Amino acid sequence: MASSLLSPHPSTLLSNPLPGRSTNSTLLPLRLLTPAPSTARPFPSRFKCSAGQTGFFTKLGRLIKEKAKSDVDKLFSGFSKTRGNLAVIDELLLYWNLSDTDRVLDELEEVLLVSDFGPKITIKIVESLRDDIYAGKLKSGSEIKDALKRSVLGFLTSKEVKTELRLGFRKPAVIMIVGVNGGGKTTSLGKLAHRLKQQGAKILMAAGDTFRAAASDQLEIWSERTGCEIVVAEKEKAKASSVLSQAVKRGKEQGFDVVLCDTSGRLHTNYSLMEELISCKKAIAKIVPGAPNEILLVLDGTTGLNMLPQAREFNEVVGITGLILTKLDGSARGGCVVSVVDELGIPVKFVGVGEGVEDLQPFDAETFVDAIFS
């Protein structure tokens, strides 16, 4: 299946990537793959320009965030299991009366815990509702439901985290994708490339996962699907930092707007591999000062609250700027989004709600709350 998706296309050996460098250069040989011309209709775009124009990256981040509000149906569909799990709340509140308050709130607490809202947040929500009910501020089941939604939204927005991509003012903007094995890094990178290209950005992919044999092939398939160019290492087990630095150089020299850097999966407890991410970050910064602009950690939503230790370690090592939560369509544990934001103060920038190319959705707190409690 994978081979049929990747059409043959020309490659260029970049053995002499810098002016004045001899053909005996010790720089890592790389291949720049240009996707074959596609006969498919071009993606519609509301905004096309180059990053050199004032405000491109600001507008790019804003437009992608606005897309979350226009993709409500997709988000609602993706969170159907979480919403189904929380639907019992409506049943609990339908015939609520004051004498049943303690029983109803105990059951509400159980529902929130099962949905991975976390014990700390769950207790805060339930006790706040209890206080307001007995104070006479909430007098019906619908008022309690509205108060519940406001409380959850408050946890997602109280730290004033910025959920839009923040790509600076200099091109190329560089985004590093990091995470443990199997979380969906490469797939998320491909879907993110699709979104950015829809908004008019010129994208270069960098196959920095040099440990997993099939990783470059997988990213090349995404390159073909999205019509983006890609830089891959020619030799096996190449240094990831070398691949990424060469890709960022190419992005800078050829006027790419965004370079998306894939990295190898690694357990957060493997400190030698975690240190490699620091080398990658430093290598990128030597080419474009201040880059990477975003370091996005991909977390598997099906692991629920077990993702928190991963996020803490990655953040301590490289400084995570945002999170991508994947596979939330296959779990009724969407409450983990709230726990992650509350505990770490790191914004969720995208959520994965399906297998399709459009199913990496920009995260918007109000849309998310509506999607899981509707």
Side-chain angles (χ1 to χ4, degrees), residues 79-309:
F79 281 107
S80 59
K81 291 189 177 181
T82 298
R83 189 165 57 255
N85 199 44
L86 295 172
V88 68
I89 294 173
D90 291 321
E91 299 175 19
L92 286 173
L93 298 177
L94 183 60
Y95 300 109
W96 169 85
N97 60 65
L98 191 59
S99 63
D100 278 343
T101 294
D102 288 338
R103 177 188 63 80
V104 168
L105 291 180
D106 285 346
E107 293 189 38
L108 173 60
E109 181 177 311
E110 184 177 339
V111 172
L112 294 176
L113 288 171
V114 169
S115 299
D116 264 353
F117 276 81
K120 182 174 71 172
I121 288 176
T122 296
I123 291 172
K124 285 182 179 179
I125 291 173
V126 171
E127 291 308 308
S128 176
L129 291 176
R130 192 189 310 274
D131 291 344
D132 287 346
I133 289 171
Y134 285 124
K137 297 178 182 179
L138 304 175
K139 300 178 181 179
S140 68
S142 61
E143 289 183 357
I144 296 173
K145 174 75 173 291
D146 288 343
L148 170 62
K149 292 173 66 174
R150 287 195 302 272
S151 182
V152 172
L153 182 61
F155 282 110
L156 291 172
T157 58
S158 62
K159 297 184 185 298
E160 298 182 352
V161 292
K162 303 295 184 182
T163 59
E164 69 271 15
L165 286 174
R166 309 186 76 175
L167 302 177
F169 302 96
R170 166 190 301 148
K171 74 173 181 179
V174 182
I175 300 175
M176 268 180 67
I177 307 292
V178 302
V180 302
N181 296 299
K185 292 187 308 303
T186 303
T187 299
S188 296
L189 187 151
K191 292 177 180 179
L192 180 56
H194 170 74
R195 281 208 171 271
L196 290 168
K197 188 167 183 180
Q198 277 188 311
Q199 301 304 330
K202 183 181 178 183
I203 307 299
L204 179 64
M205 297 178 175
D209 185 349
T210 57
F211 287 97
R212 188 165 59 94
S216 292
D217 293 339
Q218 185 183 359
L219 199 60
E220 285 180 33
I221 292 172
W222 277 105
S223 167
E224 184 71 18
R225 284 177 180 170
T226 58
C228 298
E229 294 185 23
I230 180 174
V231 172
V232 301
E234 283 207 323
K235 62 182 182 181
E236 295 182 3
K237 307 298 182 183
K239 280 189 175 183
S241 58
S242 297
V243 176
L244 299 188
S245 68
Q246 291 296 322
V248 174
K249 282 181 184 176
R250 177 63 48 177
K252 186 176 181 180
E253 292 168 358
Q254 296 189 352
F256 284 87
D257 295 321
V258 182
V259 180
L260 295 175
C261 299
D262 197 13
T263 61
S264 304
R266 66 205 70 223
L267 290 174
H268 56 290
T269 54
N270 190 321
Y271 296 107
S272 61
L273 287 179
M274 292 290 280
E275 288 289 322
E276 183 191 60
L277 290 179
I278 298 177
S279 299
C280 290
K281 185 177 178 181
K282 289 179 177 178
I284 291 170
K286 286 180 180 179
I287 311 302
V288 178
N293 305 83
E294 292 270 15
I295 301 178
L296 302 180
L297 172 63
V298 177
L299 294 170
D300 183 341
T302 62
T303 63
L305 295 178
N306 291 326
M307 68 176 65
L308 288 172

Side-chain angles (χ1 to χ4, degrees), residues 21-35:
R21 191 66 68 96
S22 72
T23 54
N24 295 323
S25 169
T26 58
L27 289 175
L28 180 70
L30 300 173
R31 289 183 295 133
L32 175 64
L33 305 183
T34 305

